[in-house]
Amino acid sequence: MRINRGIAAAGMSDAQLLAAHASGDARAFSELLGRHYDHLWQTARRTSYTPEDAADALQEALLNAHRTAATFRADAAVRSWLHRIVVNACLDRIRRNKARPTVPLPEDDQHEPSHPRDAMTDRETSMAIEDALFTLSPEQRAAVVAVDLEGYSVAEAAALLGIPEGTVKSRCARARHRLAQELSYLQAGRNQIDANEV
């Protein structure tokens, strides 16, 4: 009997699973999370300052989704509904935290890379970009992450974030301008290196 229910759940749409969960099916929400957890975790991680904040916000969001499943109106995809709940939980946590915590360096026991300078430069650039993202307001960061990092269209990002398309465009434009200012030294450094190599 369990196998048949699992097969039935696997064939159900997201909306059907959410409705089944709201009706008391104990397995439906787990099946739904199995489909979307990786995406939701990446969303939380990109929107939060630290992995710990991302994990906490994701947990809060999933509890909220679990409790409020019956209020889902099916005017958007379930994935979009979950995405919005996760982004809102992350933004709420950022507002509550106000002060930015210190981020510890990862404790990797990996071997030295074969080209330490290139790997180190890539890591430093990645860290600089991540730091620059967190100079943005949470709202601008959520918009630019959705459009530029996750590849959503402006219309999709507007639906995910629950704001007008024009607001997404203006937040992305301001965010890109700010990021260009914050990261201008990277381009200047690259030009200087290129000139020295010639």
Side-chain angles (χ1 to χ4, degrees):
M1 190 69 171
R2 279 185 179 177
I3 294 172
N4 292 340
R5 281 189 179 177
I7 292 170
M12 295 170 72
S13 72
D14 289 349
Q16 289 170 328
L17 283 172
L18 197 59
H21 163 68
S23 298
D25 185 330
R27 293 185 189 97
F29 198 75
S30 293
E31 175 70 25
L32 187 63
L33 286 186
R35 294 178 184 182
H36 301 292
Y37 186 84
D38 289 342
H39 168 75
L40 298 174
W41 167 247
Q42 288 302 318
T43 299
R45 185 62 193 100
R46 288 175 174 159
T47 310
S48 302
Y49 286 117
T50 67
E52 294 79 15
D53 280 345
D56 290 346
L58 182 58
Q59 183 176 3
E60 290 170 16
L62 295 179
L63 286 171
N64 186 22
H66 188 272
R67 279 189 231 119
T68 61
T71 66
F72 177 69
R73 293 181 310 221
D75 55 350
V78 172
R79 180 178 170 128
S80 298
W81 179 72
L82 291 169
H83 182 100
R84 183 185 302 179
I85 291 172
V86 170
V87 169
N88 286 340
C90 292
L91 296 178
D92 287 346
R93 179 162 285 277
I94 288 168
R95 287 185 198 105
R96 281 195 308 265
N97 288 346
K98 294 280 184 180
R100 183 174 175 180
T102 304
V103 179
L105 293 173
E107 296 178 20
D108 291 337
D109 291 337
Q110 298 176 353
H111 300 290
E112 287 292 317
S114 55
H115 301 291
R117 184 177 183 274
D118 292 342
M120 184 59 76
T121 300
D122 290 346
R123 180 70 180 137
E124 287 173 352
T125 301
S126 177
M127 290 171 65
I129 292 169
E130 188 172 320
D131 287 345
L133 276 172
F134 287 102
T135 65
L136 305 173
S137 72
E139 292 79 11
Q140 288 177 356
R141 186 169 62 253
V144 82
V145 163
V147 173
D148 292 340
L149 296 179
E150 296 181 352
Y152 288 105
S153 69
V154 170
E156 291 167 333
L160 288 171
L161 299 172
I163 56 177
E165 289 182 32
T167 304
V168 172
K169 289 178 183 177
S170 66
R171 287 180 182 175
C172 284
R174 286 191 207 111
R176 290 175 189 135
H177 179 73
R178 177 70 185 265
L179 290 172
Q181 290 176 329
E182 290 289 324
L183 299 170
S184 63
Y185 71 93
L186 291 176
Q187 187 63 40
R190 181 175 295 158
N191 289 340
Q192 190 174 28
I193 290 169
D194 292 343
N196 291 338
E197 288 175 352
V198 172

